[in-house]
Structures are given as C-alpha cells and as structure tokens.
Amino acid sequence: MPPPGLWRAGLRLSRGMSRCVLEPGPPGKRWLVAGLGNPGMPGTRHSVGMAVLGQLARRLGVAESWVRDRRCAADLALASLGDAQLVLLRPRRLMNANGRSVAQATVNWENALLGRSAVTRATFPLCQAELFGLTAQEVYLVHDELDKPLGKLALKLGGSARGHNGVRSCISCLNSSAMPRLRVGIGRPTHPDAVQAHVLGCFSPSEQELLPPLLERATDLLLDHIRERSQGPLPGS
C-alpha cells in the first residue's frame, strides 16, 4: 500500500483529471451539426443534408468514427475545428421526427452516454459534459430546400420552417426557431402533385454530376461560418 501522503497526492491528481475531463470547456466553443433526412434512403433529394454531413465528416477526418447512439436514435461523430468541438449528427428517425434526435442529443447528452461501453467512452471522451446544455443557437441544421434550384446554397439564421417537416420537428422539440440552417437547393417540380415523389426520389444521373462540388461548397460554407462564430461574440450575446 502506498504511503498516505502519496495516496492523497494521487487522489488529488485523479480528482483534478476528472474535473479536466468532465467540466465544460469555454462557452461558445461547442456546436452540433445535424444533417436532416430519412435513414436508409441515401441518394434521395430529401436526405441531401445527410450527404453534406458525410462530406463534412470526411473533411474533418472522422468519416470512420460514426457511433450509433440508441438513446437519441442517431449516428454521431465528434470532431475538432481549431479550439471548437463539433458533434455531427445523422438522425435514425424519419424526417418528420428528426427533431427528437436533435433535441435528445443536445439536451440529454450527459445521460445518453451513461453506461456506455469503454470503447464508446474512449471515442467520445469529453461528451458527458462538454455538450450538455447546448442552446438552439449552437445547433446547425442542414436540409434540402425545394424553393432553390439544385446547386444553390443559403445560410438562414433562424426563422420559420418554411414548410419543411424536418425543420418543423426541430423547432417543436427544441422549443426554439433560432437554429442556423444550411439550405441545400433541390429544385421544385412544375406540378404540385409531383413534390412528394420528387423529394423522395433519387438524384438523376445528370444531377449526380453536380453533387460533389455542391457538397464541397456546402462544407466550406458551414466550416467558415462556424469558425467565424467560434472567434466572435458568444451565441445570444
């Protein structure tokens, strides 16, 4: 058994390390980016937000780090961007219920990792407290936009859902409309009756040729905006 003085020193060191891991980092340096869509339907226009998240994960070097979390029904990956932390989220619920996954990962992240395996805790070593209590302003939504042609992007800072069911679900579950949104144009069909088939359908071969540069530009826009906000005033200030 180690001498009492050494044991006490080790205990103080252990407690200090625990505080370092569990205490939140500097406010305004944590962000969640959610790609809205339908699970199991890659390549469809309605899930283009998830395609952007895939490109974002590749750019940040975490494409092989996705972890499925049952408690928020989503795939998650943790990445660093300078001094900031990014949690990438792809819901495993249908589009109309995407907001439940986003809200659970945002508000209940501390509970979501309790009891997880050692492998998962090693993958997300800071998440138990680092992301607990994120505000709506620190949550980015990436989703398809009917009213913009394919290839057009727009960053919208809060506001109404504009008829998008996934955004409407997020607003309802987070009880806020303040989330920044990256709107990815998919174009609107001429006939109103064709909208559902259009959004749930796959991109045509000619459209698929436009996707790689579109995903790159969407990633650039997201990262530039997050970097700027990470260096500027705190959200809501």
Side-chain angles (χ1 to χ4, degrees):
M1 182 174 178
L6 182 59
W7 184 86
R8 286 194 294 270
L11 181 61
R12 287 194 299 270
L13 178 60
S14 174
R15 287 174 176 168
M17 292 175 66
S18 297
R19 285 195 298 271
C20 179
V21 170
L22 295 178
E23 286 181 359
K29 299 295 185 182
R30 299 176 302 278
W31 313 94
L32 186 142
V33 185
L36 305 188
N38 287 308
M41 298 182 67
T44 62
R45 297 179 181 91
H46 216 22
S47 294
V48 72
M50 290 185 171
V52 173
L53 261 286
Q55 180 60 31
L56 184 59
R58 287 188 289 272
R59 178 79 67 85
L60 296 173
V62 295
E64 306 301 323
S65 300
W66 292 100
V67 173
R68 182 175 183 176
D69 193 307
R70 298 190 310 273
R71 304 196 189 194
C72 60
D75 294 325
L76 303 160
L78 182 67
S80 296
L81 183 66
D83 294 333
Q85 281 191 338
L86 272 61
V87 171
L88 312 185
L89 182 147
R90 299 184 303 200
R92 282 182 170 266
R93 293 184 169 101
L94 293 177
M95 176 69 88
N96 291 13
N98 274 188
R100 293 172 58 195
S101 294
V102 175
Q104 287 168 342
T106 302
V107 178
N108 297 324
W109 186 271
E110 185 172 15
N111 294 328
L113 287 181
L114 292 178
R116 298 292 296 278
S117 68
V119 173
T120 301
R121 290 196 300 271
T123 305
F124 296 102
L126 301 179
C127 285
Q128 283 189 336
E130 286 288 334
L131 293 166
F132 183 69
L134 283 174
T135 66
Q137 292 95 332
E138 295 165 317
V139 176
Y140 282 78
L141 307 179
V142 186
H143 61 89
D144 59 304
E145 176 57 62
L146 274 168
D147 291 327
K148 290 191 176 299
L150 181 66
K152 296 295 183 180
L153 300 168
L155 197 60
K156 176 179 171 64
L157 302 180
S160 69
R162 297 172 61 91
H164 193 286
N165 289 332
V167 176
R168 182 181 293 114
S169 173
C170 292
I171 291 174
S172 175
C173 293
L174 289 169
N175 195 29
S176 174
S177 62
M179 296 79 71
R181 298 150 215 182
L182 179 59
R183 300 154 60 202
V184 183
I186 61 169
R188 181 182 289 273
T190 305
H191 201 286
D193 292 342
V195 168
Q196 182 173 359
H198 178 73
V199 298
L200 295 179
C202 292
F203 289 104
S204 68
S206 60
E207 290 174 331
Q208 290 176 16
E209 295 180 3
L210 301 176
L211 283 180
L214 173 63
L215 299 181
E216 287 286 351
R217 289 191 292 110
T219 299
D220 288 339
L221 185 57
L222 272 173
L223 293 178
D224 288 346
H225 197 263
I226 293 172
R227 286 191 188 99
E228 182 177 355
R229 293 183 73 203
S230 295
Q231 296 168 2
L234 301 183
S237 61

